[in-house]
Amino acid sequence: MKVVALAGGVGGAKLADGLAQVLPPEDLTIIVNTGDDFEHFGLTICPDLDTVCYTLAGLANPQTGWGRVGETQQAMSSVEVLGGPTWFWLGDRDLGTHLERTRRLRAGDTLSAITADFCRAWGIRARVLPMSDQPVRTFVQTNEGELAFQEYFVARRCEPAVSSFRFDGVEQARPAPGVLDAVAAADLMVVCPSNPWVSVAPILAVPGLQAALAAKPIVAVSPIIGGQALKGPAAKMFSELGILPSALAVAQHYGGLLRGFVFDEVDAAHSEAIAALGIMPLVTATVMKDRTDRAQLASEVLAFSSQLLAA
Ligand code: GDP
Ligand code: CA
């Protein structure tokens, strides 16, 4: 079964890793959000792409889910002594990724080509594609005015209340090379348990993607468990937008896009309401604490999807 997964950072990367454990590498493509990307110290930083790649390569910090394992802090400590900005912390090894990526972007290489080369160097066999090679930058409208995504997410720790989102540059963006072909060839699309508002929405906003997806069976995994996000502002965003956060709210949010929806046992009571939306529900354990959990959830998603496709 050829699978294309849509992923943001930490939540998306976990299921992507599960899928990579159970699918032959040639059958898996992961399309990653680049709306979080930004420029800092003159470097282009792609947090979600790096989180997905580090996770698939076994290089991710298991405590945080982002950044690298065995990381050292010499560069940022030097910046700190000099009074420079340290609100976005970059470990030494991670910094090397940003240096080399930025060097190649300046030399004229595309983000998708650079990502493919990085994946090869890191031993990642599934295909990882940025959603677009053109820069798309997420801005968050809040009660404190409009904030660039990392300013909201990291510097302001998601404290301001959100009212809307803007994906700057997305109208001019094109799907990265390989994205539309992968979708066309896919038997199944999986929306990973990523933030629907700031991780999945930017991908869906790339012109041409929604139309390509319309013909495809899509199954999503809920990032909301028991009314809460395991990490990050997803549930808070639903609330601030006037929607009670729940697995049902996520299913309603994706609505007609979905054929199936996978959500946690603690939310089993939502099954009927989700089925009433015309979406097939699958209730299972969806908290991925380790690599085995990721593979287990990925297997269940694939088995459930096979049933859906056969029905
Ligand atoms: P970010 O870009 O690093 O913020 O990561 P994503 O957007 O990909 O994922 C954030 C979402 O992942 C949050 O809403 C979490 O609730 C969800 N998440 C994290 N770990 C898990 C997990 O083990 N299971 C599920 N179902 N969701 C998770
Ligand atoms: Ca992110």
Side-chain angles (χ1 to χ4, degrees), residues 8-12 14 36 48 153 193-195 199 221-223 225 229-231 234 286-288:
V10 173
K14 289 191 204 171
D36 294 15
D48 286 355
F153 194 73
S194 289
N195 187 313
S199 289
V221 178
S222 181
I225 299 178
L230 291 184
K231 196 188 141 280
T286 68
V287 179
M288 296 171 277

Side-chain angles (χ1 to χ4, degrees), residues 263-285:
F263 55 103
D264 202 82
E265 287 157 343
V266 300
D267 298 310
H270 292 309
S271 282
E272 267 181 41
I274 287 167
L277 298 170
I279 301 169
M280 190 70 80
L282 174 69
V283 175
T284 187

Side-chain angles (χ1 to χ4, degrees), residues 4-309:
V4 172
L6 308 184
V10 173
K14 289 191 204 171
L15 187 64
D17 181 46
L19 291 166
Q21 290 183 58
V22 301
L23 282 168
E26 62 276 13
D27 286 354
L28 178 62
T29 300
I30 304 146
I31 301 174
V32 182
N33 172 42
T34 58
D36 294 15
D37 296 7
F38 72 124
E39 284 66 37
H40 195 45
F41 294 110
L43 303 174
T44 300
I45 300 176
C46 305
D48 286 355
L49 264 181
D50 290 341
T51 295
V52 168
C53 290
Y54 291 157
T55 302
L56 291 176
L59 296 172
N61 178 337
Q63 265 79 51
T64 54
W66 54 269
R68 289 180 62 159
V69 68
E71 192 55 287
T72 52
Q73 320 288 346
Q74 301 297 333
M76 288 310 282
S77 300
S78 300
V79 169
E80 197 162 31
V81 168
L82 299 172
T86 55
W87 61 272
F88 196 94
W89 197 265
L90 297 164
D92 297 333
R93 289 176 174 79
D94 188 36
L95 200 50
T97 303
H98 312 315
L99 285 169
E100 175 59 5
R101 174 192 292 124
T102 304
R103 183 191 70 78
R104 289 194 51 182
L105 284 171
R106 293 215 181 123
D109 290 340
T110 60
L111 183 59
S112 53
I114 297 167
T115 303
D117 288 345
F118 285 12
C119 284
R120 207 167 299 123
W122 286 327
I124 297 167
R125 297 186 57 217
R127 193 145 62 125
V128 180
L129 299 173
M131 66 191 198
S132 179
D133 278 337
Q134 287 75 46
V136 175
R137 299 291 181 260
T138 296
F139 285 83
V140 185
Q141 192 66 46
T142 76
N143 59 339
E144 298 179 15
E146 191 175 66
L147 301 172
F149 182 75
Q150 298 300 346
E151 207 181 324
Y152 161 81
F153 194 73
V154 179
R156 295 288 295 111
R157 294 195 198 87
C158 309
E159 281 161 17
V162 305
S163 50
S164 66
F165 309 95
R166 183 168 70 82
F167 309 124
D168 191 57
V170 81
E171 292 86 359
Q172 294 85 332
R174 295 182 299 283
V179 164
L180 292 181
D181 288 344
V183 173
D187 301 304
L188 172 73
M189 304 286 314
V190 174
V191 181
C192 289
S194 289
N195 187 313
W197 304 103
V198 291
S199 289
V200 180
I203 304 175
L204 297 178
V206 175
L209 257 178
Q210 289 258 17
L213 291 180
K216 293 289 162 180
I218 308 181
V219 170
V221 178
S222 181
I224 302 288
I225 299 178
Q228 292 180 322
L230 291 184
K231 196 188 141 280
K236 182 174 177 283
M237 286 175 171
F238 272 98
S239 298
E240 290 163 359
L241 295 167
I243 308 164
L244 187 70
S246 68
L248 174 60
V250 176
Q252 283 168 330
H253 170 80
Y254 290 127
L257 216 53
L258 300 185
R259 283 269 282 278
F261 189 64
V262 180
F263 55 103
D264 202 82
E265 287 157 343
V266 300
D267 298 310
H270 292 309
S271 282
E272 267 181 41
I274 287 167
L277 298 170
I279 301 169
M280 190 70 80
L282 174 69
V283 175
T284 187
T286 68
V287 179
M288 296 171 277
K289 287 187 291 295
D290 54 31
R291 289 202 80 210
T292 313
D293 292 347
R294 298 172 188 169
Q296 173 68 29
L297 181 57
S299 299
E300 287 183 50
V301 169
L302 295 179
F304 167 65
S305 302
S306 298
Q307 281 175 12
L308 272 183
L309 296 179

